[in-house]
Amino acid sequence: MKGNARYTTGNIDTNDAFKNTAAGLKHGQNPYAVILSCADSRVSPELCFDEGPGDLFVTRIAGNYVTVDILGSIEYGTYVLKSPIVMVLGHTECGAVKAAIKAEEENASFPGHIQSIASNLSNAVRIGKQKGGNQTTEVVKANIRLNVAYLQQSTPIIRQLVQDKKVKIVGGIYDLDNGTVTIVS
Ligand SMILES: [Zn+2]
């Protein structure tokens, strides 16, 4: 969160430059956080937390939801690399969420595998739409919370790490207006 404050104020840390970290990172990595981010080009975890190579273990998928293969990466980041924190990172104006809302409201379908994104977000749409306010933002928040809750129980490895308080799973929403990440779960 301190890094996000540096990012939004333009006060970025230049110590993370490649030339400063490459030698140390050649033999291993020790990322302090695992991030499950949307693939959206407007949201970059390393940039928005003002971090550099070796700091974040990032998985990305449009709609930032958990899949079997994503679980493998998150288990690797937490169990093997011992990152103590996992953040599910959604964002305002998410196109994947908007598509899922459209699929629900207009029975829209999308070409090829794009449909599977909308289908995977349908629970979040149902929950988020029950709230007032900005529909897209509410569904984004619902999707973040669903995936945080799911991750906490998802696999024996991650469940045990959470129970032993070796890993904390949180959810954040990135605001495209101002670059701020706010904890929502
Ligand atoms: Zn998105």
Side-chain angles (χ1 to χ4, degrees), residues 114-182:
I114 299 171
Q115 181 62 37
S116 93
I117 301 171
S119 304
N120 273 291
L121 299 180
S122 60
N123 277 343
V125 172
R126 275 192 284 279
I127 294 168
K129 280 185 67 171
Q130 292 165 9
K131 314 238 175 181
N134 181 310
Q135 196 107 110
T136 302
T137 303
E138 289 305 326
V139 175
V140 167
K141 288 181 183 171
N143 182 46
I144 293 166
R145 291 181 181 126
L146 276 174
N147 281 283
V148 167
Y150 176 61
L151 270 179
Q152 282 164 340
Q153 298 295 326
S154 54
T155 76
I157 286 177
I158 298 173
R159 191 165 56 235
Q160 193 65 49
L161 288 168
V162 170
Q163 273 173 13
D164 295 345
K165 300 198 186 309
K166 288 180 178 163
V167 168
K168 189 172 184 183
I169 302 175
V170 301
I173 181 168
Y174 176 90
D175 189 333
L176 288 186
D177 278 334
N178 52 29
T180 303
V181 175
T182 304

Side-chain angles (χ1 to χ4, degrees), residues 84-129:
I85 190 152
V86 177
M87 176 183 273
V88 178
L89 182 63
H91 64 98
T92 59
E93 305 300 332
C94 181
V97 162
K98 287 180 178 177
I101 293 172
K102 198 170 176 190
E104 172 90 3
E105 288 180 348
E106 301 169 27
N107 214 11
S109 59
F110 302 96
H113 292 73
I114 299 171
Q115 181 62 37
S116 93
I117 301 171
S119 304
N120 273 291
L121 299 180
S122 60
N123 277 343
V125 172
R126 275 192 284 279
I127 294 168
K129 280 185 67 171

Side-chain angles (χ1 to χ4, degrees), residues 6 36 57 65 126 152:
R6 293 195 299 272
L36 170 54
F57 192 81
Y65 59 91
R126 275 192 284 279
Q152 282 164 340

